[in-house]
């Protein structure tokens, strides 16, 4: 049998530097755990625009459709701010999500013990935190029609449409309930049913799926604004949160800071199973391209490395090796290795991106 295939799209900004560390980790698993992947690399985002005039070529789109999993770094940067909307770097990422139909975006927010003091919240509020945000990723206001900027009388009007079908809500709710079954058995669904019809339908369908097929799960509903407040007031009350595309974008950034740094958070975007039984999948860190520190070897590669751990778990059914990698990261943090984003005060020397990667490899070696 051939090795599972991985398409790596480092993208822009700090994407290439953090992905270089992931490639070392992938090689380690091939050499030391006999877990080999066929890796190819290509362009997405601004770097694709620079070469091809589009943020994602059809060729790369087709490749993404045919591999077992895609690993993406980050897209975007100020250099591309002036571009026409249709060719902005972000459009490349959104096209991948949409055409691969990656409807369930899993964003775990875990607070490693060694980092509990780095959160802007008090240690006791975040220590031991382990929540999972399931964000709907292929619909809602990100893709709804009509959209655009039109002229009405003597002024312009910006239009976007929030739109959800019952089946779109149904399938992402199921993903959340299935995950909750493997965790603490609780799901909180967030919308704005008090002001949005799409929120009323969202609440109704999530409840219906629950009552029909997941009565063993404890389901609650919350308005998304309250959800944001509860996330910073008492985040440990949550297990799985399921929410729409835009609220999920906001709430997952909030949840990220609970853990100390945006540089720590991985994500998995999953679609329907392919012929080989594996889900369509793209893994990427939640952080962006961080153009202010790009190319300086300062970026924290952990979010991207933990995204590869999620690939091991969700695409390749190797939860054991995923745990090995997560434990290696935990150990390195416990040993006090810190990239600049994890340094609270001046003083002490920050580890470079590559030093962090090497420390994680050393911890992996130690795990054998
Ligand atoms: C995210 C990002 C993206 C989004 C951008 C880069 C298009 O913020 O993955 O959270 O808005 O979905
Ligand atoms: Mg975001």
């Amino acid at each position: 049998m051939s090795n599972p295939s991985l398409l790596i799209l480092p993208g822009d900004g700090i994407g290439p530097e953090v992905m270089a560390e992931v490639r070392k980790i992938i090689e380690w698993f091939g050499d030391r755990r006999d877990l080999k992947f066929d890796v190819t690399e290509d362009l997405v985002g601004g770097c694709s625009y620079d070469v091809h005039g589009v943020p994602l070529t059809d060729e790369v789109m087709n490749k993404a459709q045919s591999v077992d999993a895609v690993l993406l770094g980050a897209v975007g940067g100020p250099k591309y701010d002036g571009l026409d909307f249709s060719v902005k770097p972000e459009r490349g990422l959104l096209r991948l999500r949409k055409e691969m139909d990656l409807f369930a975006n899993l964003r775990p927010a875990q607070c490693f013990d060694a980092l509990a003091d780095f959160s802007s919240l008090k240690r006791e509020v975040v220590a031991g935190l382990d929540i999972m945000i399931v964000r709907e990723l292929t619909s809602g206001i990100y893709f709804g029609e009509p959209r655009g900027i039109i002229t009405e009388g003597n002024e312009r009007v910006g239009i976007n449409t929030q739109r959800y079908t019952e089946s779109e809500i149904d399938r992402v709710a199921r993903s959340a309930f299935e995950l909750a079954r493997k965790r603490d058995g609780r799901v909180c669904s967030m919308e704005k049913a008090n002001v949005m019809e799409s929120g009323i339908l969202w609440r109704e369908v999530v409840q219906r799926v629950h009552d029909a097929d997941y009565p063993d799960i404890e389901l609650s509903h919350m308005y998304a604004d309250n959800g944001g407040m509860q996330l910073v007031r008492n985040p440990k009350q949550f297990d799985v949160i399921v929410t729409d595309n835009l609220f999920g974008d906001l709430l997952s950034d909030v949840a990220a800071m609970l853990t100390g740094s945006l540089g720590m958070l991985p994500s998995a975007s999953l679609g329907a199973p392919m012929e080989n039984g594996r889900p369509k999948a793209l893994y990427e860190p939640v952080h962006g391209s961080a153009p202010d520190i790009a190319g300086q070897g300062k970026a924290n590669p952990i979010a991207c490395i933990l995204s590869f751990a999620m690939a091991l778990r969700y695409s390749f059914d190797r939860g054991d090796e995923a745990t090995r990698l997560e434990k290696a990261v935990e150990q390195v943090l416990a040993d006090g290795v810190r990239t600049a984003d994890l340094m609270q005060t001046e003083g002490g020397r920050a580890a470079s991106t590559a030093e962090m990667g090497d420390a994680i490899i050393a911890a992996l070696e130690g795990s054998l």
Side-chain angles (χ1 to χ4, degrees), residues 162 189-203 222-227 243-244 247:
Q162 166 81 335
S189 169
M190 296 186 186
E191 29 56 17
K192 285 281 288 177
N194 50 346
V195 288
M196 297 164 77
E197 284 81 357
S198 61
I200 296 176
L201 188 69
W202 181 281
R203 186 175 286 222
M222 209 177 258
Y223 297 139
D225 54 344
N226 182 28
T243 189
D244 77 14
F247 293 141

Side-chain angles (χ1 to χ4, degrees), residues 130-204:
D130 177 10
I131 62 182
M132 175 74 87
I133 296 186
V134 180
R135 164 188 177 191
E136 200 292 325
L137 202 60
T138 52
S139 184
I141 203 160
Y142 271 59
F143 298 99
E145 301 279 349
R147 65 185 299 160
I149 300 177
I150 62 165
T151 302
E152 234 176 53
N154 56 5
E155 64 174 352
R156 293 183 305 154
V157 186
I159 300 175
N160 289 94
T161 302
Q162 166 81 335
R163 184 194 141 90
Y164 271 105
T165 64
E166 288 183 289
S167 50
E168 285 167 345
I169 303 167
D170 183 293
R171 64 183 185 173
V172 75
R174 283 178 199 280
S175 301
F177 289 131
E178 291 292 337
L179 277 165
R181 270 196 182 144
K182 297 191 192 127
R183 297 171 48 97
D184 200 35
R186 293 178 296 122
V187 171
C188 180
S189 169
M190 296 186 186
E191 29 56 17
K192 285 281 288 177
N194 50 346
V195 288
M196 297 164 77
E197 284 81 357
S198 61
I200 296 176
L201 188 69
W202 181 281
R203 186 175 286 222
E204 197 184 298

Side-chain angles (χ1 to χ4, degrees), residues 75-76 90-91 93-94 97 105 107 135 137 142 245-246 248-250 252-253 267 284-288:
V75 295
E90 291 77 8
R91 302 310 303 171
L93 174 59
L94 294 173
R97 290 173 177 173
N105 180 215
R107 299 191 160 187
R135 164 188 177 191
L137 202 60
Y142 271 59
N245 204 342
L246 183 60
D249 183 42
L250 303 176
S252 62
D253 266 26
S267 85
E284 57 174 320
V286 170
H287 64 66

Side-chain angles (χ1 to χ4, degrees), residues 290-304:
D292 51 320
I293 58 162
Q296 301 172 33
K298 283 186 188 167
N300 183 352
I302 290 180
C304 205

Side-chain angles (χ1 to χ4, degrees), residues 89-128:
E90 291 77 8
R91 302 310 303 171
L93 174 59
L94 294 173
R95 181 177 175 201
L96 282 166
R97 290 173 177 173
K98 186 69 177 174
E99 290 192 21
M100 292 171 76
D101 202 15
L102 305 170
F103 61 88
N105 180 215
L106 280 45
R107 299 191 160 187
Q110 255 172 317
C111 184
F112 289 90
D113 225 35
L115 296 186
D117 290 319
F118 290 80
S119 172
S120 47
L121 299 189
K122 295 189 195 82
R123 167 175 266 277
E124 59 271 23
V125 176
V126 295

Side-chain angles (χ1 to χ4, degrees), residues 7 9 56 60-72 92-104 137-138 143 171 269-274 279-283 315:
L7 172 62
L9 303 173
L56 185 75
V60 176
M61 185 66 241
N62 291 338
K63 256 194 218 173
Q65 294 283 20
S66 68
V67 292
D68 290 311
V70 180
L71 292 183
L72 187 140
L93 174 59
L94 294 173
R95 181 177 175 201
L96 282 166
R97 290 173 177 173
K98 186 69 177 174
E99 290 192 21
M100 292 171 76
D101 202 15
L102 305 170
F103 61 88
L137 202 60
T138 52
F143 298 99
R171 64 183 185 173
S269 304
L270 306 177
M274 301 183 281
K280 273 258 152 79
L282 179 148
Y283 299 87
S315 281

